[in-house]
Amino acid sequence: MSERIVSFVMSGGVGSRLWPLSREDNPKQFHDFSGDGSMLAKTLRRLAARPAGETPIFLIASERHAERVHADLAGLDLAGGGPLFEPTGRNTAAAVALATLRTLSEFGDSLVLVVPSDHEISTAEQFWRSVEAGAVPAHAGRLVVFGIKPTQPETGYGYIEVAADRDGVFDVSRFVEKPDLATAQTYLEAGTFYWNTGIFLFRAGAMRDAFAAFAPDIWRATEAAYKAATSDLSGLYMPLELYSAIPSTSIDYAIMERAKGIAMVPAGFRWNDLGSWQSLLDVGPSDDQGNVIVGDVVAIDCENSYIRGEGRLLSAIGMKDVAIVSTADATFVAPVSHSQHVKKIVEQLEKSGRLETRFTPAHDRVIESGAWRQRVHH
């Protein structure tokens, strides 16, 4: 198919599970984890690589990150799209409502694709092949999600349970939250559960109707903020007073867990949400001992560890299955199997009023571009 698909990238998250690298002022989507551009830039390039069909590309991001956003947009053809800046974060339901409103006002009842800004996906070709497979049920008025067949009992992802399959498109039975390990193991063995990628495809009119049925307060508040927005060459800006009045909840809670007839397309691409140091260990370039080493690091007799130094020399001996991440003002150390729990530290720091969760030291900004310089000894 080559019909218009209006694409929106959600880039409002903080990525606290990758603290101390990811901060409020410099979240993970702006980091380069593989040496070929930031997560956001790679997401935008993937959308721009659609083989055929009109694909305007929009970005929903925090107003405070406007400068970083424009740096990542440089040189990209957005095909008539552009940035929409949130004056404050109101979670993903507001972002999807905003995407739907923008599409209806400019493109009518077109197909809308909403993707996170910070996921690792194998190739643009495989990605778009999966999206085009979802265009058929989406065009028929169904809300479409994309699932990944689990390869291990993962506790860091939400899951989708599916029922009947028709021509490669499954009916969704239910969405389930991140499980504990025992529950994740039963999901893996059942064979009817998929990891939820957080990628959505739908007709703008179908999503508008879903908001009208299940979350009319979110729709009304987002519409009020959108109608009062101002635009200039740098993007669209909404008034803080109106935008902050939008109820803050996820699109999963507001719509997807309540709507009927949702379709799931199995994703034909490799995917990782890079939501933990374990995930970066899984996808990063590793040495003979299974370590991923980034920065000015000396590692001796270490195995299966993620060791990252931002700036000053970091040295480690005899470490196995650990994450060590050192920035100018903070150091994090944990077994990689516990790396999903970083949020607990972030929550404790925030309760104490510590600034290390919010701001990146100026020194780190300077050396970030050279983070791939390595010094490794075994």
Side-chain angles (χ1 to χ4, degrees):
M1 297 176 70
S2 58
E3 69 178 295
R4 178 196 296 131
I5 297 180
V6 188
S7 299
F8 289 82
V9 179
M10 295 187 292
S11 183
V14 175
S16 59
R17 287 182 295 168
L18 291 183
W19 183 88
L21 197 62
S22 186
R23 314 279 178 106
E24 283 184 27
D25 70 337
N26 193 24
K28 72 170 181 173
Q29 60 265 31
F30 296 114
H31 290 273
D32 181 352
F33 290 116
S34 52
D36 56 353
S38 72
M39 300 299 299
L40 174 58
K42 291 200 292 185
T43 301
L44 292 165
R45 291 201 302 266
R46 185 183 312 121
L47 293 175
R50 187 183 179 200
E54 182 188 347
T55 315
I57 301 168
F58 292 88
L59 176 66
I60 300 173
S62 170
E63 202 174 292
R64 68 186 296 185
H65 300 142
E67 188 178 330
R68 300 293 300 274
V69 164
H70 287 126
D72 278 345
L73 291 178
L76 278 173
D77 179 8
L78 301 181
L84 314 178
F85 290 112
E86 297 179 299
T88 185
R90 303 312 290 160
N91 215 315
T92 54
V96 172
L98 184 60
T100 306
L101 282 157
R102 182 56 181 257
T103 301
L104 288 168
S105 66
E106 194 167 336
F107 303 100
D109 193 14
S110 294
L111 290 183
V112 182
L113 176 68
V114 178
V115 303
S117 62
D118 52 6
H119 291 180
E120 184 75 21
I121 288 174
S122 50
T123 71
E125 182 182 351
Q126 291 170 319
F127 170 78
W128 276 110
R129 198 178 300 137
S130 296
V131 172
E132 300 289 1
V136 176
H139 195 269
R142 301 180 74 181
L143 307 181
V144 178
V145 295
F146 297 85
I148 300 283
K149 193 73 174 171
T151 53
Q152 75 258 0
E154 176 61 59
T155 60
Y157 301 150
Y159 285 71
I160 304 164
E161 185 179 16
V162 296
D165 137 53
R166 286 170 287 193
D167 299 322
V169 176
F170 290 81
D171 295 333
V172 172
S173 299
R174 61 177 175 136
F175 293 85
V176 289
E177 294 300 302
K178 298 171 184 176
D180 59 28
L181 186 60
T183 305
Q185 184 65 44
T186 65
Y187 291 169
L188 182 65
E189 292 166 359
T192 54
F193 289 84
Y194 287 72
W195 292 333
N196 186 355
T197 62
I199 298 171
F200 306 100
L201 182 68
F202 50 85
R203 260 192 20 239
M207 185 59 78
R208 176 194 57 205
D209 294 346
F211 271 101
F214 303 112
D217 52 340
I218 294 176
W219 182 263
R220 284 193 299 267
T222 309
E223 186 174 36
Y226 178 70
K227 285 182 175 178
T230 57
S231 293
D232 59 27
L233 289 175
S234 65
L236 180 138
Y237 298 84
M238 284 158 292
L240 174 60
E241 183 180 341
L242 291 175
Y243 205 79
S244 60
I246 302 170
S248 180
T249 188
S250 72
I251 187 64
D252 296 293
Y253 282 132
I255 302 296
M256 306 308 288
E257 293 180 6
R258 304 179 187 185
K260 305 298 182 189
I262 296 176
M264 191 212 74
V265 173
F269 48 81
R270 292 194 309 278
W271 170 88
N272 193 307
D273 80 340
L274 297 188
S276 67
W277 298 114
Q278 173 72 64
S279 65
L280 287 175
L281 178 62
D282 292 341
V283 304
S286 57
D287 62 18
D288 293 342
Q289 282 69 45
N291 303 301
V292 173
I293 308 286
V294 181
D296 192 4
V297 174
V298 175
I300 298 173
D301 295 332
C302 294
E303 296 177 42
N304 302 319
S305 294
Y306 187 92
I307 307 176
R308 184 182 189 110
E310 299 275 314
R312 61 186 175 180
L313 170 66
L314 173 61
S315 57
I317 297 176
M319 305 305 292
K320 184 176 181 180
D321 302 321
V322 299
I324 305 174
V325 182
S326 180
T327 68
D329 65 341
T331 300
F332 171 77
V333 182
V336 286
S337 60
H338 287 49
S339 65
Q340 290 284 1
H341 303 313
V342 183
K343 289 179 105 170
K344 294 179 181 178
I345 290 179
V346 172
E347 288 165 5
Q348 188 165 324
L349 291 171
E350 287 175 342
K351 285 177 185 174
S352 305
R354 300 286 299 248
L355 298 180
E356 287 90 342
T357 63
R358 298 179 59 195
F359 302 112
T360 304
H363 174 67
D364 276 24
R365 291 184 180 280
V366 173
I367 64 91
E368 190 176 287
S369 61
W372 286 89
R373 173 170 54 91
Q374 297 185 12
R375 189 164 80 228
V376 189
H377 302 291
H378 297 289

